[in-house]
Amino acid sequence: MSRSAVRSMPSASWAFVLAVLALLAVRAMHLTGPLDDPHSWRQCDTVWMSRTFARHGIDVLHPQVCWLGGHRTLIFELPLVEAITALLERAFGIADVWDRLVGLAFYLVATVYFHRIVRAVTGPRPARFATLAWLALPLSQFYSRAAHVDFAAVAFTHALVWHALQAVRRRSWWHALGAGVAGALGAMIKAPDLLPLLPPLLLVWLAMPDVPNLARLALAGLVTTGGFAVWRHHVNAVNAAAPDWSFLPGYYKEVNPWWWYFGNWGQRLERAAWVRLARRLAFDVATPFGAIVAVAGLTWRPWRNGGHAAHDAPRAVPFLLAWALGSALYLLVFFPLNVIHNYYQIPFVAPVALAIGLGIDRLMSRPVVGGLVLVAFVAGCFATIRGLHYYRVDWRRVEAGRAIEARTRPGDLVIAADEDAGYSDPRLLERADRAGWSVATPDLTPDRVRRLEAAGARWVAAVTDTARASIPPAWLAPGEVAAVPLARHGEALGTLHLYDPGRVPAGAR
């Protein structure tokens, strides 16, 4: 930017830029340190994939997980984030901070496209307020700097909407193709995130509903669905080769089974599930004060002397309602995953931020009132985050992982046992930098350990907490080679019990 351009920037633009930089700077406090909760297990999967790419070569068609024993190869989504991280780790060394920085970079891309979309349908000032809300909302703050892939998917879905809007407004086939490519990448990373954008895309076409524009959007749709279909064919072929370890509790060999995504109708009738989702939407996504401001956004009208949306763009409130409708459909379709994982509410952040931005702009008819509301909203976001207990580190697993790494060799396969571990739980194995299997401690039986030992398991590592809620079974005792107290800053966390199953007499099993 030239000096003359800087001097010509109005004070409102300067204030917006400074506010954006301040909200982004907050992320710097959480870019280092161990992977944290909520849902550190998903981050462990991401970090393991990028680490294996850095060490053994980048193969986005065959990524690896740490909980499938020696087989390892399994695909959840296109590992683009992990591949970019691996390039940085090869250049600067393996560290979790690179996963976080790449995730933050994609978040910034999502932010830029979000600002452009909102500006196109509202004008410059509401877009600034909506962008500040997007940056401040709790779920946005936490996952934007996490070792996570969801905001990469959001970046591509936002790019899909923006380029589709430009394809219609400018009658551009190139923008239509760009929308399709962005949509395909977003779908390959996380297909459910596209559903909330379908109603807004319909409004994009209805703004200029002629046949050529319909053809342009059809091109974008064909590229998106075609790319996703090819990717899913590859995913199904690769994942079908995973070993059948159905003797492990909860193990399923199906590739992304439909029941896991969609569940059953009975789940949608559970009151406790709706209460849980309502609390998340009220606190993690919108915050209570933000929800009130968002309601005011429904009464928004363009200012007479303010920036208006382009004449061929969808109007702001209908566009907001369409986005909210798409988000509601997304919740209903992918209900089980929304209940289990709070990061499945990330697609709600954009329409909520848009509503809050419109609400603040609506209140700017009295600048002092609007300014106070903006400050109170941002302060409320930070206060809400403190109440949600984000950035919690599971030090017991961190210290246990370090102890396992120190007492085993890099190629050893480890059966990682913990009280609440599931077969696909990477939290202990990733922190130990070891591959193997994850099993809940109560599910350690002689037969299961014998079968995993035959598949290459070298060690059983069982972690107990200070309450010893779940202790390792007595039949493993003859094979114990170490009992390591776990502590941090003098506080007892539990004990790591390391066993060599080969030392357990056959009769003890």
Side-chain angles (χ1 to χ4, degrees):
M1 183 181 293
S2 66
R3 291 184 179 180
S4 60
V6 170
R7 286 194 297 268
S8 66
M9 288 180 66
S11 58
S13 297
W14 270 114
F16 171 65
V17 170
L18 291 175
V20 167
L21 293 176
L23 287 171
L24 289 175
V26 173
R27 274 83 171 168
M29 297 187 297
H30 304 286
L31 287 176
T32 58
L35 300 177
D36 45 18
D37 285 308
H39 293 302
S40 61
W41 68 268
R42 184 63 188 86
Q43 299 180 62
C44 286
D45 271 331
T46 300
V47 166
W48 179 270
M49 285 186 185
S50 59
R51 185 186 301 158
T52 54
F53 281 163
R55 288 173 174 168
H56 307 298
I58 298 173
D59 183 356
V60 296
L61 298 180
H62 300 89
Q64 297 184 3
V65 296
C66 60
W67 40 267
L68 272 182
H71 177 77
R72 304 189 187 184
T73 303
L74 193 74
I75 306 179
F76 294 118
E77 64 271 322
L78 176 69
L80 178 61
V81 172
E82 295 89 338
I84 295 173
T85 301
L87 293 175
L88 294 174
E89 290 185 325
R90 284 187 167 189
F92 303 107
I94 293 174
D96 296 349
V97 66
W98 302 119
D99 297 87
R100 287 170 164 155
L101 286 174
V102 171
L104 182 58
F106 275 106
Y107 173 77
L108 294 178
V109 174
T111 303
V112 170
Y113 273 112
F114 174 74
H115 180 80
R116 288 181 172 183
I117 293 167
V118 177
R119 186 183 177 102
V121 300
T122 68
R125 192 171 74 173
R128 291 172 186 151
F129 294 139
T131 303
L132 294 178
W134 159 271
L135 291 165
L137 290 170
L139 207 64
S140 182
Q141 285 198 47
F142 179 81
Y143 284 108
S144 63
R145 38 60 60 196
H148 214 263
V149 304
D150 280 47
F151 273 114
V154 171
F156 287 117
T157 58
H158 286 183
L160 163 64
V161 175
W162 166 250
H163 288 291
L165 183 60
Q166 296 306 301
V168 169
R169 291 176 59 182
R170 299 185 182 185
R171 299 185 175 278
S172 168
W173 289 98
W174 284 111
H175 275 289
L177 180 60
V181 172
L185 290 170
M188 286 188 280
I189 294 175
K190 197 159 191 176
D193 287 4
L194 267 69
L195 182 55
L197 282 307
L198 294 183
L201 285 172
L202 176 61
L203 282 190
V204 167
W205 175 67
L206 290 176
M208 295 183 68
D210 54 32
V211 173
N213 277 334
L214 181 60
R216 292 183 183 94
L217 293 182
L219 171 64
L222 287 173
V223 173
T224 296
T225 55
F228 178 66
V230 171
W231 173 249
R232 285 306 310 175
H233 177 76
H234 171 73
V235 167
N236 291 339
V238 170
N239 289 355
D244 184 3
W245 287 316
S246 54
F247 59 88
L248 296 178
Y251 179 85
Y252 56 87
K253 193 173 185 292
E254 297 88 354
V255 179
N256 297 323
W258 284 65
W259 62 264
W260 175 247
Y261 278 97
F262 307 120
N264 56 62
W265 183 252
Q267 292 173 301
R268 291 159 177 80
L269 300 178
E270 294 177 3
R271 179 179 177 273
W274 286 104
V275 170
R276 187 176 188 180
L277 287 170
R279 287 184 58 85
R280 286 213 201 121
L281 292 173
F283 290 92
D284 298 61
V285 178
T287 74
F289 186 69
I292 297 172
V293 178
V295 173
L298 298 176
T299 67
W300 182 86
R301 294 291 183 274
W303 286 74
R304 180 173 301 175
N305 60 347
H308 291 259
H311 73 280
D312 55 353
R315 290 187 301 158
V317 174
F319 192 82
L320 166 62
L321 293 175
W323 209 334
L325 173 62
S327 300
L329 292 173
Y330 160 83
L331 173 64
L332 289 172
V333 172
F334 302 104
F335 188 81
L337 293 175
N338 270 278
V339 174
I340 297 170
H341 309 304
N342 75 337
Y343 58 82
Y344 262 77
Q345 281 86 70
I346 286 176
F348 287 88
V349 173
V352 168
L354 171 55
I356 292 171
L358 294 178
I360 294 173
D361 188 70
R362 179 73 174 82
L363 297 171
M364 280 294 173
S365 57
R366 297 182 179 181
V368 174
V369 173
L372 289 175
V373 167
L374 176 59
V375 172
F377 162 70
V378 174
C381 288
F382 286 99
T384 303
I385 285 177
R386 290 181 62 87
L388 292 171
H389 304 293
Y390 282 0
Y391 311 110
R392 293 173 288 111
V393 175
D394 184 355
W395 286 110
R396 184 169 62 91
R397 283 190 174 91
V398 170
E399 296 299 335
R402 292 170 178 168
I404 294 170
E405 183 179 16
R407 289 162 176 80
T408 61
R409 295 173 298 180
D412 291 346
L413 296 179
V414 178
I415 303 171
D418 205 345
E419 167 68 20
D420 60 347
Y423 84 94
S424 61
D425 189 340
R427 291 175 295 175
L428 188 54
L429 288 167
E430 186 280 326
R431 286 166 172 132
D433 199 13
R434 297 291 181 266
W437 298 265
S438 183
V439 181
T441 305
D443 294 326
L444 282 174
T445 65
D447 179 66
R448 288 180 183 131
V449 171
R450 177 184 59 78
R451 292 191 182 197
L452 293 179
E453 188 180 5
R458 177 64 181 84
W459 304 99
V460 176
V463 181
T464 62
D465 58 20
T466 52
R468 296 178 65 82
S470 181
I471 61 175
W475 62 266
L476 276 172
E480 187 169 61
V481 296
V484 185
L486 305 175
R488 176 171 174 78
H489 299 322
E491 178 185 358
L493 302 173
T495 305
L496 167 70
H497 299 272
L498 189 64
Y499 302 93
D500 180 353
R503 297 186 181 184
V504 179
R509 302 190 187 189

